[in-house]
Amino acid sequence: MGEVRINAKEMPYPVLNQRVRALVASGETDIILDNVLGQRFIGDGIRGDDVTITINGVPGGDLAMFMSGPTIIVKGNADHAPGNTMDNGKVIIHGSAGDAVAHSMRGGRIYVRDNIGYRGGINMKEYQTKRPILVVGGSARAFLGEYMAGGLVIVLGVDGVTPVSERGVGSGIHGGEIIVRGRIDTTCLGG
């Protein structure tokens, strides 16, 4: 099957998500969403390793929540909590993302080209052979990796951006790894 385009302009998020689910159920594997502006829950619960959803615009909260397998490519920024409790798959954000990126993620990968907000990687956990990975190209705000129980968070600080400059990094962490490129002030570390 070829690519399928949906014009999401002014489309309520339940209608958009029903259309995406119906397309995946019918065997479509290449779905392009144009004019997305704040529609929530895109890709939530979708399964299928061969499915790719490309979003032209800014998706709302909880993008790819509970997703298992697909790839979502966002050509813009994303709102809060992309990858919330994601099981598997990839989310690639060609911009910045809001707070709680990769919240409770248990598998798959999230790549954010620019920056993320507060509590990135909060409560990430490994599950059996699955290891969630969050890679941030720019910077992360306070409480990065809070309560992590597994997984990997990498913050690169590209283009000279200070990768982490706020408090609470690793607060309550009891598993997983946080890698920050460069030095981090010890006053930023969680207790």
Side-chain angles (χ1 to χ4, degrees):
M1 299 188 165
E3 70 181 32
V4 177
R5 293 187 96 95
I6 297 174
N7 183 0
K9 185 174 185 177
E10 299 179 7
M11 185 181 293
Y13 75 88
V15 174
L16 176 60
N17 291 323
Q18 288 169 355
R19 288 189 185 172
V20 170
R21 285 188 186 95
L23 288 168
V24 171
S26 72
E28 295 294 345
T29 59
D30 191 3
I31 301 166
I32 299 171
L33 308 179
D34 292 320
N35 302 307
V36 170
L37 185 58
Q39 286 95 337
R40 299 180 284 171
F41 311 126
I42 296 172
D44 288 10
I46 299 288
R47 299 185 176 280
D49 295 338
D50 57 345
V51 174
T52 299
I53 301 170
T54 302
I55 299 172
N56 295 313
V58 181
D62 289 313
L63 172 75
M65 183 170 61
F66 308 128
M67 187 177 80
S68 188
T71 296
I72 294 182
I73 301 166
V74 179
K75 298 205 175 161
N77 297 321
D79 201 345
H80 69 280
N84 180 356
T85 320
M86 192 168 95
D87 180 59
N88 199 12
K90 277 190 285 194
V91 176
I92 302 162
I93 300 170
H94 293 270
S96 292
D99 300 335
V101 177
H103 179 345
S104 301
M105 190 173 149
R106 64 181 179 219
R109 296 176 181 202
I110 298 179
Y111 302 96
V112 180
R113 185 192 67 196
D114 297 330
N115 309 312
I116 64 170
Y118 297 93
R119 292 193 155 89
I122 183 173
N123 202 32
M124 279 175 64
K125 55 195 160 285
E126 294 183 33
Y127 179 72
Q128 296 179 356
T129 60
K130 294 178 182 173
R131 184 178 194 214
I133 297 172
L134 168 60
V135 179
V136 179
S139 66
R141 302 292 306 259
F143 299 104
L144 175 69
E146 185 178 32
Y147 306 123
M148 276 179 68
L152 173 63
V153 174
I154 300 171
V155 185
L156 299 171
V158 296
D159 295 330
V161 172
T162 302
V164 177
S165 61
E166 296 181 28
R167 66 189 176 102
V169 174
S171 293
I173 189 172
H174 55 279
E177 297 174 86
I178 301 171
I179 298 172
V180 177
R181 182 175 172 217
R183 297 186 56 81
I184 184 167
D185 189 317
T186 57
T187 61
C188 293
L189 300 178

